[in-house]
Amino acid sequence: MSRQAVLKNRRTLLERAEKFISDIYFTDCNLRGRLYGDSCPLESLSSFLSSKRISFSEASKQNFAPHKVGDTFGPTWWTCWFKVTLKIPKSWRGKEVHLLWESDGEAMVWRDGQPVQGLTKEGEKTSYILTDCLTDEEPQSITLYVELACNGLFGAGKGSMIAAPDPNRKFSVQKAELVVFNRDVQELLTDFEMLVDIVKDLGEGEQRGYQALYTVNEMVNICDPSDPSSFPKAHTLAHKFFNQHNGQSQHTVHAMGHCHLDTAWLWPYEETIRKCGRSWVTAIRLMEKNPEFVFTCSQAQQFQWVKTWYPGLFSQIQHYVKKGQFIPVGGTWVEMDGNLPSGESMVRQFLEGQRFFQKEFGICCKEFWLPDTFGYSAQIPQIMQGFGMSFFLTQKLSWNLVNAFPHNTFFWEGLDGSQVLTHFPPGDSYGMEGKVKELVNTVRNNKDKGRANYSAVLFGFGDGGGGPTQLMIDRLQRVQDTDGLPKVQMSSPLRLFSQLQADSALLCTWSGELFLELHNGTYTTEAKIKRGNRQCETLLHDIEIASSLALGSDNTFKYPVEKLQELWRLLLLNQFHDVIPGSCIELVVEDALKYYEDIRSAGARLLQDACEALGSKGSGSPAVFNSLPWERNEVVQIQDDRGQAGLALVRVPSIGVAPVKDTKPATQVSVTVQTDTVVMENGIFRAVVNKDGSLASLLLLNANREAISDGCHGNQFVIFDDVPLYWDAWDVMDYHLQTRKPVVEVEQPVGVVSSDGLRGSVSFTLRISDKSTITQEIVMDAMCPYLKFNTQVNWAESHKFLKVEFPVRVRSPNATYEIQFGHLQRPTHWNTSWDWARFEVWGHKWADLSEHNFGVALLNDCKYGYSVHKNVMTLSLLRSPKSPDANADMGTHQFTYAIMPHTGSFQDASVIQCAYNLNFPLRPLRRPADAAPWSAFTVSAAAVVLETIKQAEDRKKALVVRLYESHGSTVNATLCPSLPVREAWHCDLMENPDLTRPALMTSEGITLNFNPFQIVSLLLTL
């Protein structure tokens, strides 16, 4: 140390060190100003613009025109290709030479026809290393191409990041030249930066911070920026400080490179493909220079894109996967939303992802990786376990608006009791930069001190891609074991979780869902995406079951394996956690809706092929196909032999087909017009409909129980002001409830549409505003225990939220909501902050509010947002945010919901089955007139739902049958197949048979045992 005494003024010494490395102040004489040495202009720079994203081979054949630095180009979403010719001066022999490139947008450098480096100012990557040390043998005249996307890491929002994109933004290149890069200056800058940050982030109360302060001050004294020979002494001082080690008990950070890359968000799907290329090739360059560097990467869909678009890069990825540096994680097709996909969709996310990783890399992921989604279903642990996964990493619950989640490392127990070891990085980020503050916060924020002494640090620019940089790696290497900071080791997910598991004796357990207290507007935003998802899930379910039945009964039928995989992958893609929630730009919405149409179109043909195999092609009498595992007795619309449309009451067995017979209901539907109301009755319940379409009464006849609260009306449309604090498409705030306004203006009062004994219906129109209307048909069918509301809304609002309310005559502290493969309860009161934070919740096909021996269920065919407060059941219908999609939800919407009063519990009243019936229509087909009804499968226990029948993966004459216990009970059940089953085995969700567990087959069927909410999969050999 200098013998000259220094004043112990912390501020002046700290600011002196900061200015010494500043890129703003004193760059003429400080160290930062010496980062680059000599510079040299390019030989030439030329460009051409493309409105499309084209391949390198196509781009390189175009005519390039001269381009000047500073010239503007665009607009948004176009691509400007640059041809760069350069010549490195011979006098730079022995020097590290970079192409310095500073521009708007995101760039990819191409060399010799291959992608070699991503460049973006936002991701702190503004140079491409031409040579580490120029030699005479290296080429000095080089031609490169730079593909520059006219969008930033976070799209092109007009005025703010999440605003709708500015379609006319212009872009430019601000700097393009050759430079000598002084690596020794960069190394010393990193030393200075880390020491300065230790001073700032440890604070004035830590002795170690003052040691860092005096060390860095002495380094400034020693270091002469104009004299590189002074650098080693300063470097030695820094490393003496960094090499003063911790004790054995210090917290250990497992650092992993990461590039959270949204599959679509503020940019379209197609741009994500290029983001993957730019980010991942940059990670490969880092692996070449840093053999200890580990990079974790999720989402099989993105790997599939890179394999198709960048085959050379994909081969490099496969090489580094084998070396253990490039680590595929997560095991899913995309990082899906954790709330809205169905149970079977979640299974397919893992099935497609794990099979892809197994095929391409020879691995199956042991950890589920979902850092950024808007809540986590209570069935995820069981689904994970079914794929051999025991570890889960996320961090999004750190965003909770009301209650801080109490753990970072814990066991998460799912609905059925399955447990997975779960870790939330205490630094509360999946895009860290290797900075001291992040390491300090990782220790300080750890909510499980004394229980868990290991944490993840995921470093690398994320959301829009970019990934790690060399500087981030260098920062972490400096402080691998530095007194005052946690220990840092480059690691992998498996190493982290193995250490956490080995020291897990004191960890706590969290049971049930992980509910995010934020972003609950995403249950409703972009309603057409929600509708497309539900309808396509239903369609693919029916195609698979019909095709499986055809496979088992017709030796000539070919199961459409490849086409079904293609359609499933499109559906899974749209379940990405910024697409199905509706938190994406309009371009993404357009793509998503197109993919749903592709699924519907191709799926309709597949379903027709399967139904024809089950029936008779083009001839025969009307029949129906039932894809659900219980008998159904329903009114359907049919066409007779003359093509005339009509209604019929049909009875069709479980998972089977039946001819349409002219049967009469026990009680016909009556519709009676009275002075101010219309009365509808079907022998099960009586509905009294007001002129404005609201329900004055809903009486369950056998029990003589009124469902609607005294003095209230059911089917009451209400509208709210919907202006969140920031996240427009994402958030609905609690204060919106204070702005409730009933929709009362009647444009067309209730009138009778039909009344023919099998079906009665009335319709009406309400005006929401001068821009928006609701037209609804209320439908009562014979033999049907619920009242349907077929709804059309012409919607042109701004920052409004439309809901429908049913105040019911039920008192209960909890309401029940369907989730994946089961249901859960949430409170109907706001006693605690944990209760009222759930003022808007998600559910799937139904929600139920019951007291002893009576209840009311609310069913729907494409909605996910609910609220049940006290006795008011509310279904969320439409929102109208303006960012990031300025036209979100504008237009015409169609949807159906239903109200179902019942006696007993919802389980005994068949609410679950009724919600399925509403969502899975009986499918028309034609069969010989004398054909008898036929059932392929029946299940003996009402609590057990046969959810899925599909051809087994890689097995042509085998089926996978998936069932789950839906009531929350322990039950034995018998599965009775009429197909010729030779063998039956229990299997996991990867469809691997458990050869120690053959399913018990008797003359009555296959005997199965279920625990509450248990998922059981069987492999049946035909």
Side-chain angles (χ1 to χ4, degrees):
M1 291 286 181
S2 170
R3 295 184 181 179
Q4 179 66 43
V6 295
L7 296 173
K8 295 182 180 180
N9 188 321
R10 182 177 182 274
R11 175 182 170 183
T12 57
L13 297 189
L14 177 57
E15 287 197 21
R16 179 195 187 200
E18 287 179 316
K19 296 299 191 294
F20 192 70
I21 58 173
S22 171
D23 59 358
I24 299 173
Y25 302 105
F26 308 115
T27 53
D28 61 322
C29 60
N30 73 3
L31 187 62
R32 179 75 63 180
R34 304 293 173 144
L35 184 58
Y36 297 109
D38 294 339
S39 63
C40 174
L42 305 177
E43 289 275 291
S44 68
L45 180 66
S46 53
S47 68
F48 95 94
L49 267 171
S50 171
S51 61
K52 297 181 179 179
R53 300 171 180 91
I54 61 176
S55 67
F56 171 81
S57 59
E58 183 179 349
S60 61
K61 297 172 186 174
Q62 304 302 312
N63 294 319
F64 287 75
H67 188 99
K68 292 181 180 179
V69 170
D71 288 351
T72 60
F73 50 88
T76 310
W77 308 125
W78 284 45
T79 301
C80 192
W81 283 83
F82 293 89
K83 186 174 183 179
V84 180
T85 57
L86 54 90
K87 187 173 183 180
I88 304 173
K90 291 182 179 180
S91 60
W92 289 5
R93 187 185 299 110
K95 302 291 180 73
E96 181 173 341
V97 182
H98 291 197
L99 167 65
L100 190 61
W101 182 278
E102 294 184 10
S103 67
D104 306 319
E106 294 186 83
M108 172 79 95
V109 181
W110 292 79
R111 186 171 183 174
D112 300 327
Q114 292 297 320
V116 291
Q117 175 72 52
L119 297 173
T120 169
K121 282 195 297 186
E122 294 166 288
E124 296 183 4
K125 299 176 184 73
T126 55
S127 67
Y128 167 59
I129 302 174
L130 294 163
T131 175
D132 291 321
C133 182
L134 184 64
T135 64
D136 291 337
E137 290 74 28
E138 291 182 276
Q140 295 178 347
S141 294
I142 302 170
T143 298
L144 304 173
Y145 289 85
V146 177
E147 176 189 15
L148 202 155
C150 293
N151 53 264
L153 274 182
F154 293 92
K158 188 173 185 178
S160 76
M161 181 184 75
I162 65 167
D166 179 356
N168 300 309
R169 181 179 292 186
K170 292 295 184 179
F171 297 76
S172 69
V173 178
Q174 296 91 42
K175 191 175 290 186
E177 61 185 9
L178 296 183
V179 294
V180 171
F181 183 78
N182 293 320
R183 179 66 60 180
D184 55 350
V185 172
Q186 178 59 63
E187 294 291 335
L188 198 53
L189 284 169
T190 305
D191 292 339
F192 271 101
E193 177 201 331
M194 295 301 282
L195 285 163
V196 165
D197 284 352
I198 288 171
V199 177
K200 292 193 292 187
D201 296 323
L202 290 188
E204 296 187 50
E206 292 289 335
Q207 173 177 290
R208 190 68 172 146
Y210 278 96
Q211 292 173 351
L213 177 65
Y214 296 136
T215 299
V216 77
N217 184 67
E218 188 64 15
M219 288 169 62
V220 178
N221 291 336
I222 291 173
C223 182
D224 179 355
S226 64
D227 181 9
S229 68
S230 68
F231 297 174
K233 288 183 180 179
H235 194 58
T236 299
L237 270 179
H239 278 252
K240 180 180 177 182
F241 179 92
F242 294 138
N243 289 329
Q244 291 173 333
H245 297 320
N246 276 294
Q248 291 184 353
S249 66
Q250 181 60 279
H251 192 90
T252 300
V253 161
H254 288 250
M256 298 168 236
H258 187 234
C259 175
H260 180 69
L261 183 42
D262 288 328
T263 297
W265 180 29
L266 304 175
W267 52 88
Y269 284 126
E270 208 173 64
E271 189 56 43
T272 304
I273 301 172
R274 300 200 297 185
K275 284 176 175 284
C276 291
R278 292 187 288 261
S279 302
W280 296 3
V281 76
T282 304
I284 294 291
R285 297 289 84 80
L286 292 174
M287 289 173 198
E288 292 170 348
K289 293 180 179 296
N290 304 272
E292 77 289 349
F293 170 60
V294 170
F295 181 69
T296 56
C297 195
S298 64
Q299 307 191 77
Q301 171 68 87
Q302 295 184 5
F303 283 90
Q304 176 66 61
W305 280 335
V306 168
K307 181 182 179 183
T308 302
W309 284 55
Y310 305 101
L313 172 58
F314 190 76
S315 295
Q316 295 176 62
I317 290 170
Q318 288 177 311
H319 169 73
Y320 281 100
V321 169
K322 287 180 181 177
K323 291 187 69 175
Q325 287 185 262
F326 202 116
I327 302 180
V329 295
T332 51
W333 191 245
V334 297
E335 288 187 8
M336 70 282 196
D337 179 79
N339 300 324
L340 307 185
S342 69
E344 189 59 28
S345 287
M346 283 197 169
V347 169
R348 299 307 176 89
Q349 287 284 354
F350 286 95
L351 184 65
E352 288 296 326
Q354 290 283 55
R355 282 177 58 81
F356 181 89
F357 289 145
Q358 193 174 56
K359 177 184 176 183
E360 300 296 341
F361 306 117
I363 65 165
C364 278
C365 300
K366 297 297 183 184
E367 72 293 306
F368 182 33
W369 192 275
L370 193 60
D372 182 27
T373 196
F374 312 146
Y376 307 86
S377 165
Q379 275 290 26
I380 287 176
Q382 184 180 187
I383 295 171
M384 287 174 56
Q385 292 275 7
F387 285 94
M389 295 172 148
S390 299
F391 309 132
F392 177 43
L393 184 143
T394 186
Q395 68 86 48
K396 195 66 176 186
L397 259 63
S398 67
W399 285 46
N400 269 7
L401 193 64
V402 181
N403 300 285
F405 192 77
H407 303 296
N408 288 102
T409 304
F410 59 99
F411 286 104
W412 179 23
E413 184 176 271
L415 197 62
D416 73 316
S418 298
Q419 289 192 353
V420 292
L421 180 56
T422 301
H423 181 66
F424 298 173
D428 293 341
S429 173
Y430 49 72
M432 301 190 200
E433 299 176 30
K435 293 188 174 182
V436 171
K437 186 173 186 177
E438 297 161 352
L439 301 176
V440 171
N441 285 342
T442 291
V443 178
R444 287 178 179 168
N445 295 349
N446 180 19
K447 298 185 180 74
D448 296 283
K449 295 180 180 75
R451 289 191 289 260
N453 208 28
Y454 308 97
S455 296
V457 161
L458 309 180
F459 66 94
F461 291 104
D463 288 326
T469 66
Q470 183 64 52
L471 178 57
M472 295 177 190
I473 297 171
D474 292 344
R475 287 169 180 156
L476 293 168
Q477 285 175 335
R478 292 292 191 281
V479 292
Q480 292 179 64
D481 189 1
T482 296
D483 185 23
L485 299 177
K487 295 179 181 178
V488 178
Q489 62 183 49
M490 288 289 175
S491 187
S492 67
L494 187 57
R495 283 181 64 191
L496 167 67
F497 278 108
S498 296
Q499 288 201 285
L500 288 171
Q501 189 173 47
D503 196 20
S504 61
L506 298 178
L507 293 181
C508 299
T509 299
W510 180 274
S511 183
E513 67 179 329
L514 296 174
F515 185 87
L516 178 66
E517 297 172 357
L518 197 70
H519 293 358
N520 34 14
T522 60
Y523 316 148
T524 305
T525 306
E526 301 287 5
K528 289 180 181 177
I529 287 181
K530 270 72 170 177
R531 185 170 188 254
N533 178 73
R534 183 80 65 82
Q535 289 184 342
C536 290
E537 286 178 335
T538 300
L539 178 59
L540 292 178
H541 168 277
D542 286 4
I543 294 167
E544 288 186 332
I545 290 185
S547 298
S548 296
L549 270 54
L551 182 70
S553 56
D554 182 351
N555 288 330
T556 65
F557 182 79
K558 291 185 178 180
Y559 193 93
V561 176
E562 291 81 9
K563 192 63 180 179
L564 269 172
Q565 182 186 64
E566 176 189 327
L567 300 185
W568 263 112
R569 286 182 170 183
L570 279 180
L571 178 64
L572 300 179
L573 173 61
N574 276 353
Q575 289 173 351
F576 178 74
H577 65 251
D578 276 308
V579 179
I580 190 173
S583 50
C584 51
I585 62 171
E586 190 171 11
L587 284 174
V588 179
V589 175
E590 291 169 357
D591 284 344
L593 295 181
K594 177 185 178 301
Y595 292 160
Y596 289 133
E597 280 308 307
D598 291 345
I599 295 169
R600 289 186 183 105
S601 175
R605 292 191 294 272
L606 296 182
L607 184 60
Q608 181 179 355
D609 292 345
C611 286
E612 286 178 352
L614 292 174
S616 54
K617 210 168 189 175
S619 60
S621 299
V624 288
F625 164 59
N626 173 23
S627 67
L628 297 179
W630 43 77
E631 182 182 85
R632 295 167 69 176
N633 193 15
E634 294 180 20
V635 175
V636 296
Q637 192 156 351
I638 60 164
Q639 280 192 335
D640 61 22
D641 295 335
R642 294 167 296 173
Q644 296 294 313
L647 298 175
L649 179 63
V650 300
R651 184 182 297 274
V652 56
S654 162
I655 306 186
V657 294
V660 174
K661 301 291 186 182
D662 187 18
T663 58
K664 300 297 181 184
T667 303
Q668 292 198 335
V669 178
S670 65
V671 181
T672 306
V673 179
Q674 299 184 343
T675 304
D676 294 314
T677 61
V678 176
V679 179
M680 309 172 74
E681 190 170 331
N682 69 355
I684 301 173
F685 58 88
R686 178 191 304 132
V688 179
V689 185
N690 294 316
K691 285 185 175 181
D692 63 358
S694 63
L695 294 183
S697 171
L698 185 64
L699 183 71
L700 193 59
L701 295 172
N702 285 347
N704 194 30
R705 285 290 301 263
E706 174 61 51
I708 304 299
S709 288
D710 290 341
C712 298
H713 293 160
N715 198 40
Q716 176 65 63
F717 290 98
V718 287
I719 196 162
F720 300 81
D721 295 340
D722 187 15
V723 184
L725 298 176
Y726 176 71
W727 298 100
D728 200 0
W730 293 258
D731 287 349
V732 56
M733 310 310 296
D734 54 354
Y735 53 73
H736 88 284
L737 296 170
Q738 299 175 341
T739 66
R740 176 185 180 276
K741 297 181 183 67
V743 177
V744 295
E745 184 179 347
V746 178
E747 185 160 286
Q748 179 69 44
V750 160
V752 177
V753 175
S754 68
S755 178
D756 69 356
L758 289 181
R759 173 172 291 170
S761 65
V762 299
S763 71
F764 63 94
T765 300
L766 300 179
R767 178 157 292 283
I768 300 169
S769 70
D770 59 349
K771 298 174 288 189
S772 304
T773 59
I774 302 167
T775 298
Q776 190 172 73
E777 183 182 15
I778 302 177
V779 179
M780 180 181 285
D781 281 349
M783 310 292 288
C784 183
Y786 52 84
L787 186 66
K788 290 187 292 187
F789 301 84
N790 297 333
T791 312
Q792 178 174 305
V793 180
N794 295 320
W795 184 245
E797 300 301 306
S798 178
H799 289 116
K800 300 293 182 182
F801 196 163
L802 180 68
K803 306 183 187 184
V804 65
E805 294 177 346
F806 290 87
V808 297
R809 197 177 294 185
V810 176
R811 180 173 176 81
S812 176
N814 295 295
T816 308
Y817 303 83
E818 187 195 35
I819 67 165
Q820 298 84 357
F821 298 125
H823 59 264
L824 51 72
Q825 291 189 330
R826 300 184 182 109
T828 59
H829 55 75
W830 293 345
N831 284 357
T832 71
S833 60
W834 294 88
D835 299 331
W836 65 257
R838 302 184 186 203
F839 59 87
E840 178 83 6
V841 298
W842 64 273
H844 283 197
K845 297 184 292 292
W846 60 269
D848 183 84
L849 184 64
S850 289
E851 59 190 37
H852 177 66
N853 209 35
F854 182 75
V856 178
L858 187 54
L859 323 178
N860 76 84
D861 73 343
C862 62
K863 299 300 175 185
Y864 296 91
Y866 294 89
S867 170
V868 181
H869 184 225
K870 296 183 178 179
N871 68 317
V872 180
M873 306 182 73
T874 305
L875 185 67
S876 297
L877 303 177
L878 293 170
R879 296 186 70 223
S880 49
K882 298 305 172 189
S883 64
D885 176 3
N887 297 302
D889 282 315
M890 297 298 97
T892 301
H893 297 268
Q894 293 180 326
F895 49 86
T896 295
Y897 55 88
I899 192 78
M900 179 180 172
H902 60 83
T903 56
S905 68
F906 70 84
Q907 294 98 327
D908 294 340
S910 299
V911 165
I912 298 168
Q913 287 85 347
C914 287
Y916 270 93
N917 293 349
L918 182 68
N919 280 267
F920 291 81
L922 295 170
R923 305 283 185 177
L925 50 78
R926 303 192 78 80
R927 297 198 83 201
D930 57 351
W934 173 70
S935 171
F937 289 91
T938 60
V939 183
S940 64
V944 174
V945 176
L946 199 170
E947 177 72 18
T948 300
I949 307 171
K950 65 182 284 290
Q951 180 174 284
E953 302 293 325
D954 305 325
R955 292 179 172 92
K956 288 189 176 179
K957 292 299 286 184
L959 299 178
V960 166
V961 175
R962 189 155 17 260
L963 312 94
Y964 73 96
E965 197 289 317
S966 67
H967 287 182
S969 61
T970 300
V971 66
N972 301 323
T974 301
L975 174 67
C976 301
S978 65
L979 300 179
V981 176
R982 291 192 296 110
E983 290 182 331
W985 298 88
H986 286 273
C987 64
D988 62 15
L989 294 179
M990 276 290 282
E991 304 184 8
N992 299 311
D994 183 348
L995 299 181
T996 68
R997 294 183 65 207
L1000 178 61
M1001 295 181 65
T1002 68
S1003 59
E1004 295 180 352
I1006 301 169
T1007 302
L1008 301 170
N1009 304 314
F1010 290 83
N1011 293 322
F1013 305 116
Q1014 183 180 359
I1015 304 165
V1016 172
S1017 296
L1018 298 175
L1019 182 66
L1020 307 182
T1021 303
L1022 301 179

